[in-house]
Amino acid sequence: MTCIQLTARQLKIIEIVKSQGPITGEQIAGLLDLTRATLRPDLAILTMSGILDARPRVGYFYSGKSPQSFIAEGMRRVLVKDIKSVPVVISETASVYDSIVMMFTEDVGTLFVVGNGGVLVGVASRKDFLRSAVGKTDLHKMPVGMMMTRMPNIVTTTNEETVYEAARKIVDHEVDALPVVRVVMIDQEDQLEVIGRLTKTNITKLFVELSEGTY
Ligand code: ADP
């Protein structure tokens, strides 16, 4: 695993804050024989990554967290509903051709295929479309419902699941996106309504924001 690489100076700052914190930026600079301005980027990185905490008028103190544990904690604290995107859905009767056009216009790699009442019936990914495009099928005539991966083989997530749990599913099932669903009763049967989309991109963005302290 790659972790945040701290410079020798940043490690020295951590040591100082660990042993003498809370301590002001001015005082740290004095101990290192540097100006406060020189230290500013280092202190920004250390606070953004969650290693140091800063309190106004108190100074810096050691949070006791490594950058890795800060990210691990975020993955378990943040919920799918906090970072999901809007779902991009298409009717199972739409042609493969129209589905490919939608994939381009909506700029997504996965389409969620729905039946009556917006109920999840399948998923169609880039590779599924490539597969149908290299065959002899008429893309205008073939419905997307014929070539998609179909329920009940769809891996889904919910609003309340943690990002960690959803990421685990993405890794275990080797897929790029999960439909976010909720159970609805239709004709006395439990069905899944699509209410969002969780992709590797959402998770990567969360990683970057947790690392930079901007989430
Ligand atoms: P790509 O086609 O770009 O490799 P994926 O890795 O997501 O995209 O898809 C691989 C296969 O898994 C495809 O056949 C797709 O239909 C299927 N698939 C994609 N997402 C899911 C999901 N959430 N649950 C079940 N199958 C999926």
Side-chain angles (χ1 to χ4, degrees), residues 123 125-128 149 153-155 174-179:
V123 167
S125 74
R126 273 178 286 232
K127 229 175 284 152
D128 297 330
T149 301
N153 299 322
I154 304 301
V155 185
E174 297 179 10
V175 294
D176 291 345
L178 302 178

Side-chain angles (χ1 to χ4, degrees), residues 78-85 163 198 202-203 206 215:
V78 181
L79 302 178
V80 166
K81 68 176 172 204
D82 301 326
I83 64 161
K84 70 179 179 183
S85 303
V163 171
L198 189 83
N202 297 125
I203 295 169
L206 176 65
Y215 183 83

Side-chain angles (χ1 to χ4, degrees), residues 11 19 24 46 81-82 87-88 119 121 129 136 154 170 210:
L11 290 170
S19 59
T24 64
L46 293 171
K81 68 176 172 204
D82 301 326
V88 177
V119 159
V121 294
F129 288 119
K136 287 208 176 69
I154 304 301
I170 285 179
L210 285 173

Side-chain angles (χ1 to χ4, degrees), residues 174-189:
E174 297 179 10
V175 294
D176 291 345
L178 302 178
V180 185
V181 296
R182 74 166 161 230
V183 179
V184 287
M185 191 71 127
I186 295 179
D187 296 335
Q188 258 131 69
E189 268 186 55

Side-chain angles (χ1 to χ4, degrees), residues 126-177:
R126 273 178 286 232
K127 229 175 284 152
D128 297 330
F129 288 119
L130 281 176
R131 202 178 301 117
S132 54
V134 293
K136 287 208 176 69
T137 41
D138 183 342
L139 302 183
H140 289 276
K141 292 216 177 94
M142 188 195 225
V144 66
M146 296 253 314
M147 44 72 77
M148 67 188 183
T149 301
R150 177 168 281 288
M151 282 291 281
N153 299 322
I154 304 301
V155 185
T156 62
T157 183
T158 61
N159 269 338
E160 303 305 325
E161 216 164 42
T162 66
V163 171
Y164 167 73
E165 288 168 312
R168 183 79 253 169
K169 287 181 179 177
I170 285 179
V171 171
D172 288 347
H173 298 277
E174 297 179 10
V175 294
D176 291 345

Side-chain angles (χ1 to χ4, degrees), residues 83 199-211 214-215:
I83 64 161
T199 68
K200 287 179 177 175
T201 307
N202 297 125
I203 295 169
T204 307
K205 200 156 157 263
L206 176 65
F207 250 90
V208 169
E209 291 176 356
L210 285 173
S211 306
T214 52
Y215 183 83

